[in-house]
Amino acid sequence: RNPRQTFFVRYFTHRSLLVEAPALSRLNNHAGRVPAGGNDRQALLAHGRRVRPFTSQWRLEYDRRLCRFMRLLTTTRSRVFWLGLPIVRSPRMSADLVKLNKLIRQRAAIHSIPHISIWDAFADAQGRYTDFDCHRDDSYHRQRHVDGIHFAPLGRKRLAELVLAASRGATKEPSARPSFGGPYVCHR
């Protein structure tokens, strides 16, 4: 497994974040990308013990790491947007990503970080996964790779358009508007 794809789950990645925190707080980037969430649906180490995904202990530890990173992001001089996770072909993985999206969206609201939901933008009219997107000219274009997870070039372009529209605050697509969760308290 690629440690860069399990950002908040793998202990050594979380520890390296703490080492890099001072450098991150001095950044003044226009945009950045953190590959977080997609592979975070696995066990993690908490207090030296392996904790199964989505249990109460797992949520507490994941939440702690997520909040710590979000607090760090808000100390930078950059505008920060959190991009939600997309629907994927696997119904089981999609169900897990719904849980992660909910947790992340709630925490983003606490830290005043706009959360850009992309789920509906990559689903069909019935809310199901689709590899293709119907464009204005009624032609279909592949937006996802054959693995049912990653984006094809046109999907990446669509994703970039959603992020740009949301960052400008002038989007007509409901799924690209920043959405905020309820009033939750981050665990420290």
Side-chain angles (χ1 to χ4, degrees):
R1 295 185 184 181
N2 184 343
R4 291 175 294 172
Q5 299 298 322
T6 56
F7 194 75
F8 295 112
V9 171
R10 293 291 175 225
Y11 182 72
F12 66 87
T13 303
H14 174 65
R15 297 289 286 181
S16 66
L17 169 66
L18 301 180
V19 172
E20 296 171 16
L24 183 60
S25 66
R26 291 190 300 270
L27 288 179
N28 191 15
N29 289 336
H30 180 68
R33 178 181 169 269
V34 178
N39 284 337
D40 282 356
R41 45 190 283 279
Q42 56 187 295
L44 56 73
L45 285 177
H47 309 291
R49 295 180 54 214
R50 189 173 173 85
V51 181
R52 289 182 33 175
F54 301 108
T55 61
S56 58
Q57 283 183 303
W58 184 95
R59 288 176 193 266
L60 189 64
E61 181 63 21
Y62 189 86
D63 183 59
R64 187 181 69 77
R65 295 176 186 192
L66 183 63
C67 285
R68 189 170 198 165
F69 183 67
M70 286 185 176
R71 276 194 306 271
L72 182 61
L73 285 177
T74 58
T75 66
T76 69
R77 293 171 281 175
S78 302
R79 288 176 63 193
V80 177
F81 295 90
W82 201 282
L83 192 60
L85 299 166
I87 189 170
V88 295
R89 185 179 298 133
S90 162
R92 183 175 172 209
M93 185 174 181
S94 284
D96 288 345
L97 297 183
V98 165
K99 295 174 196 172
L100 284 170
N101 272 334
K102 181 179 178 184
L103 179 63
I104 291 168
R105 186 173 44 251
Q106 291 167 348
R107 297 308 173 241
I110 292 169
H111 296 283
S112 300
I113 297 174
H115 181 272
I116 303 169
S117 176
I118 61 169
W119 193 274
D120 293 338
F122 293 97
D124 66 12
Q126 290 76 37
R128 297 177 304 221
Y129 173 85
T130 181
D131 284 327
F132 297 90
D133 182 36
C134 182
H135 288 264
R136 291 175 202 84
D137 61 358
D138 289 332
S139 63
Y140 285 89
H141 301 275
R142 180 175 285 281
Q143 61 182 3
R144 302 298 282 271
H145 277 292
V146 295
D147 64 6
I149 297 172
H150 298 95
F151 291 106
L154 286 174
R156 289 193 300 268
K157 181 180 178 190
R158 174 112 189 258
L159 186 61
E161 290 168 355
L162 292 170
V163 172
L164 285 173
S167 69
R168 291 183 184 128
T171 180
K172 295 178 184 175
E173 191 160 350
S175 60
R177 281 191 213 119
S179 59
F180 299 95
Y184 294 88
V185 177
C186 268
H187 303 284
R188 299 195 191 284

